[in-house]
Amino acid sequence: MSEPVASSPAFVQRLNFHARDASNESAALQAALSLGLLAHLPETGLGAPVPLATLARHVGGNLRGARAVIEPLVALGFVLFEEGRGYSLPATTAGFLRDEAFTARLHEARRWWHVAAKLPEAVRTGAAVEWNGASWDLLGWYRALFLGPPVPAPSPEAADFHDRLARAFARTQALVTAAELGLLERLLSGPVALAELARGTGASAEGLGVLLGVLGTLGITRSEGEAWGFTEAAGKALDAQSLPYFQRALPATMAYWEAFGHLDEAVRERKFRLDLRDPETARRIYQENASRISSIFASHLRLSRKAAELVKSMRSLAGARVLDVGTGSGVWGAAFGLADPSTHVTFLDSPHVLDAVRPHLAKLKLEPRSRLWAGDCLGVDYGEDTYDVILLPQIIPALPPVELPGFFSLLARALRPGGVLLISGYLLTDRRDGPLDALYFALRRYVSNEGDVLSLPEFRALLEPVGLTAARAFDMPIQQVVVAHRGDVPWPDAA
């Protein structure tokens, strides 16, 4: 198998995409097809662009859901957006959607979403799997999709569309299966014979051969006679330390699998298979997330300290009272606690999440200057002129949009003169047409009945009415932060 030519950072980025976002991308394209969303858009220049509200009405869906589905398609170039007018199809997209044989292949691929989740079973047994009262040759589908002769597409754009809709989610399941079987760990020390891999993983040689072949198309594995090992790029990217870090993303991806398989249902009926507004579901998912984040606490702490340095360049943190709202693992508050030996940090979250924070504070010797506050961020009293710095680490997308004006009003009231509000997480472009990873994160938030990812103008529209009239975005490692205040704090020189 030939390995894709790519620099190590590009290879790692591609692997992370397939672990985290590829299934989100497939889900958006499949939902657009299932909803008939694209059928309601004219070819550019041959009709008036369709506004979002009209499009949502045409497909019988809600505005927020229709937007969550179509925005990634705009970022991918399959749909065009004209600000103030609406959406249309480029000639290339309109062309391949008129090809009935090609669209039939797209609809056929949609049928395999839920079946694909049974790939671990298929690889173990080497046999067909049962789903929805029928027998499915899942291994045969994978062979045809990845290892057989390519089926011609009407155009390069059509081939790209099919790859993203049909193969992206299938690649994710191949990684999930490899992790579940412990396959990649067995390749860390060098090539291993297929028969030995089958014995060690408890899988069938036939199923394992298909899986290794699919991983080969991802540039991860290659055959050496009867043995299989890592490619050179994979060997450099996936060592004993980085492999566990990479594989930690997969359970979170699988938590959303069933919900994404019913994304069209969520758009039309607002029926959510993973409803994080349900207290028990939220408790389970957020606790799992806090545990996963805690396992990579050290690396995230280094990144969070960059944000603390940014705020420290704007105002002193000596004696500062810091509030970390929706703290998760506590990594953001801890970074500010370490920024000055006299800061005091309050960590606010639900009790089961705070259980994951305590060990980190003890290890960093921050307990004497810390307070753990168990509560709902939308239901507590933050007080007045209480805090010098308020942190919102990736919490806004988890909150219902209707609650945000009141939430920011409470936070502004709690902020002292010269105080700073720091919001971390994804930030969309002003047109909400990128970046793609932020749009896929927003889609995940929609399908779990949560909030949204915002742009800087959208943040400013929420912050200015409550007196936080100065707001800027800053690039940080991995994500961005929005810093807001009342105009009484100087911006850093490098801003």
Side-chain angles (χ1 to χ4, degrees), residues 17 22-39 41 69-80 88-99 101-110 113 141 145 151-171 440:
F17 167 75
S23 57
N24 304 21
E25 181 173 275
S26 289
L29 295 174
Q30 292 189 18
L33 193 69
S34 174
L35 290 165
L37 186 149
L38 300 178
L41 299 181
V69 170
I70 201 168
E71 284 177 341
L73 276 67
V74 173
L76 290 167
F78 295 124
V79 174
L80 294 179
S88 62
L89 296 179
T92 51
T93 305
F96 66 68
L97 289 177
R98 286 193 291 266
D99 188 309
F102 177 71
T103 56
R105 287 176 59 205
L106 299 178
H107 284 286
E108 169 62 20
R110 284 189 57 246
W113 180 278
W141 182 69
L145 195 62
V151 179
S155 66
E157 293 81 6
D160 183 42
F161 191 94
H162 178 267
D163 184 78
R164 294 175 187 274
L165 183 147
R167 294 193 186 93
F169 77 96
R171 293 184 182 106
Y440 294 141

Side-chain angles (χ1 to χ4, degrees), residues 94-154:
F96 66 68
L97 289 177
R98 286 193 291 266
D99 188 309
E100 292 184 4
F102 177 71
T103 56
R105 287 176 59 205
L106 299 178
H107 284 286
E108 169 62 20
R110 284 189 57 246
R111 299 175 60 242
W112 291 86
W113 180 278
H114 297 289
V115 183
K118 288 182 165 282
L119 184 61
E121 175 189 334
V123 171
R124 284 190 177 100
T125 64
V129 298
E130 297 295 317
W131 183 77
N132 204 24
S135 179
W136 299 72
D137 182 10
L138 185 55
L139 293 178
W141 182 69
Y142 264 88
R143 283 194 201 92
L145 195 62
F146 289 101
L147 308 177
V151 179

